[in-house]
Amino acid sequence: MSEKSPYASFHEEESGARNAKPDPGDAGATFVLESKGKWYHAGFHLTTAIVGPTVLTLPYALRGMGWGLGMTSLTVVFFVTYYNYALMSKVLDHCESHGRRHIRFRELAADILGSGWMFYFVVIVQATINVGVSIGSILLAGNCLQIMYSDLYPDGPLKLYHFIIIVTVVLIILSQLPSFHSLRHINLASLLLCLGYTLLVVVGCIRAGASRNAPTKDYSLSSSKFNRAFDAFSSISILASVFGNGILPEIQATLAPPAAGKMVKALSLCYVVIFFTFYTAAISGYWAFGNQVSSNVLKSLMPDSGPSLAPTWLLGLAVVFVLLQLLAIGLVYSQVAYEIMEKNSADSTQGVFSKRNLIPRIILRTIYMIFCGFMAAMLPFFGDIVAVVGAVGFIPLDFILPLLLYNMELRPSKAKPVFWVNISIMVIFTAVGIIGAVSSVRKLVLDANQFNLFSNNVVD
């Protein structure tokens, strides 16, 4: 009997999504996306997927819009994303109630939209986001280690790539946890870590803003209308990327069935954390530094020249918390890749720790992490590339597709406001995504002269 190709298995997966027949031999679902979690476990996963060190870019996002438009935009995106994710969960619940339980974003899109290209579009965009975030997490974690090392040994011989190797080895070990559900305790720790470093940064910003060495507080915007408009759309694109996750169906799949209603509780838990972290970090950072704030507010607290504007212990502890949470983020965003690999490599009829499944898992997950680590070391300017991916990836998956899927699956009447609210959000964020992609590409081009492969510095 000839072996099936991965290409053939993808066609079977798409067909299975349309026919809504669960596959008992699906090892990716059985092992990686096992459905055992409580609603609060899903809340931990979702919080780790959304609330990360990108929260430290929020003061910079306000810098491009000012107080009024900035706070309004932050609040609009806060409620729009909660609304979108709640509708996505409702679509999944509706499908499950009709005997069509979906545990993957790509299956859901293929079932409702019935389009082969849409299935592959979701596969490609979601995989790009997940690989990109994994690479970015390794890069930033390595940079955190480099910062701590440089403070202790200013003339030490170790380079950025050495720390990236250390982070990669740690993630290779942790990635052997077999399932998404296995990360629940790590993701609880991640939730506490993001609360911890946000609190530290807020205290640091308040202290810095009230100190003698604080920069003059200037909240003025560019005098050019063109630049103001460009900066505003770039900032909105940042907000959209910060709130994005792109893996909500996979997170909901970890819930023990029936999942109906549980994801709304998980969302509420996540958004309580988001409210505390996002608003406090954005307001305190922008208040302290105004339009001089860095794209990472931690860098504003420890400028290249002059004394640090916050106690060394506070900054050091914040960096440690960020480092530890980045490990959790790297693990969460690797789960889709692991699920795809194990769908084709594992045997669900044998135990998760059987020799037949353990050896391929160790090999494939190690290769995946080595690839991500190598790319992080080679492309230390990856932040600019991720910004482009965010504009063309997170916005379609998190701001457009959930509403499209809801309108097509639940078919609300055109006489009801929900239909037109969904259409309006889709149109607005399609425009934001296009303009955000243009602004991100522009920044990539402007920073091109700073790019050096295997550089020892991360391009801001």
Side-chain angles (χ1 to χ4, degrees), residues 156-200:
L158 298 184
K159 305 297 182 183
L160 177 60
Y161 72 87
H162 291 114
F163 302 108
I164 288 175
I165 291 172
I166 293 171
V167 173
T168 302
V169 170
V170 173
L171 281 174
I172 286 173
I173 296 170
L174 292 176
S175 68
Q176 302 311 318
L177 292 168
S179 69
F180 210 148
H181 183 63
S182 302
L183 304 180
R184 62 193 182 281
H185 302 302
I186 290 176
N187 289 336
L188 170 59
S190 169
L191 186 155
L192 298 175
L193 287 167
C194 73
L195 290 173
Y197 66 70
T198 299
L199 179 60
L200 292 170

Side-chain angles (χ1 to χ4, degrees), residues 67-388:
W67 281 115
L69 180 59
M71 293 305 298
T72 300
S73 298
L74 177 61
T75 302
V76 167
V77 176
F78 178 92
F79 283 107
V80 165
T81 50
Y82 183 91
Y83 174 76
N84 285 11
Y85 295 146
L87 290 192
M88 170 77 83
S89 179
K90 186 173 288 189
V91 171
L92 289 162
D93 290 345
H94 183 267
C95 289
E96 182 174 355
S97 68
H98 287 74
R100 297 152 46 217
R101 182 170 184 257
H102 296 300
I103 61 173
R104 301 174 175 94
F105 205 143
R106 57 188 182 271
E107 291 177 352
L108 180 67
D111 178 28
I112 296 175
L113 301 178
S115 171
W117 70 266
M118 181 56 71
F119 174 84
Y120 291 107
F121 170 79
V122 172
V123 170
I124 293 169
V125 172
Q126 192 183 46
T128 302
I129 288 173
N130 292 348
V131 172
V133 173
S134 297
I135 294 172
S137 297
I138 293 173
L139 173 60
L140 293 177
N143 187 224
C144 287
L145 284 176
Q146 183 186 38
I147 290 171
M148 292 187 289
Y149 176 79
S150 298
D151 285 342
L152 295 173
Y153 304 100
D155 300 317
L158 298 184
K159 305 297 182 183
L160 177 60
Y161 72 87
H162 291 114
F163 302 108
I164 288 175
I165 291 172
I166 293 171
V167 173
T168 302
V169 170
V170 173
L171 281 174
I172 286 173
I173 296 170
L174 292 176
S175 68
Q176 302 311 318
L177 292 168
S179 69
F180 210 148
H181 183 63
S182 302
L183 304 180
R184 62 193 182 281
H185 302 302
I186 290 176
N187 289 336
L188 170 59
S190 169
L191 186 155
L192 298 175
L193 287 167
C194 73
L195 290 173
Y197 66 70
T198 299
L199 179 60
L200 292 170
V201 168
V202 169
V203 170
C205 287
I206 293 173
R207 185 181 185 279
S211 72
R212 297 177 182 177
N213 297 321
T216 303
K217 295 181 178 63
D218 183 1
Y219 306 110
S220 61
L221 303 176
S222 173
S223 58
S224 166
K225 291 183 179 180
F226 175 80
N227 287 338
R228 284 204 304 272
F230 206 94
D231 290 344
F233 276 107
S234 296
S235 295
I236 293 172
S237 180
I238 290 172
L239 293 180
S241 298
V242 168
F243 277 90
N245 72 85
I247 54 173
L248 187 140
E250 285 79 3
I251 292 175
Q252 184 157 331
T254 66
L255 290 168
K262 295 178 182 177
M263 200 62 186
V264 174
K265 293 181 180 179
L267 274 169
S268 298
L269 170 62
C270 174
Y271 269 71
V272 168
V273 177
I274 287 175
F275 180 81
F276 171 78
T277 55
F278 284 26
Y279 278 84
T280 55
I283 293 170
S284 62
Y286 187 52
W287 169 79
F289 300 103
N291 57 20
Q292 300 302 309
V293 69
S294 171
S295 61
N296 181 338
V297 72
L298 269 178
K299 292 186 177 181
S300 295
L301 288 170
M302 41 185 178
D304 294 333
S305 59
S308 294
L309 298 176
T312 301
W313 69 265
L314 184 148
L315 295 173
L317 191 57
V319 171
V320 170
F321 285 1
V322 169
L323 165 64
L324 294 175
Q325 202 212 11
L326 284 166
L327 298 176
I329 293 171
L331 291 173
V332 163
Y333 277 93
S334 299
Q335 297 306 304
V336 172
Y338 297 159
E339 175 267 310
I340 290 174
M341 290 188 294
E342 294 193 19
K343 180 178 175 64
N344 298 300
S345 67
D347 183 353
S348 64
T349 63
Q350 299 190 39
V352 65
F353 292 109
S354 65
K355 184 177 179 181
R356 162 66 182 81
N357 291 323
L358 183 61
I359 293 175
R361 181 187 308 120
I362 292 174
I363 293 173
L364 291 173
R365 294 189 180 193
T366 299
I367 290 173
Y368 176 79
M369 278 300 172
I370 289 174
F371 167 77
C372 291
F374 177 79
M375 295 300 292
M378 186 174 72
L379 306 173
F381 48 86
F382 198 79
D384 282 352
I385 298 175
V386 170
V388 179

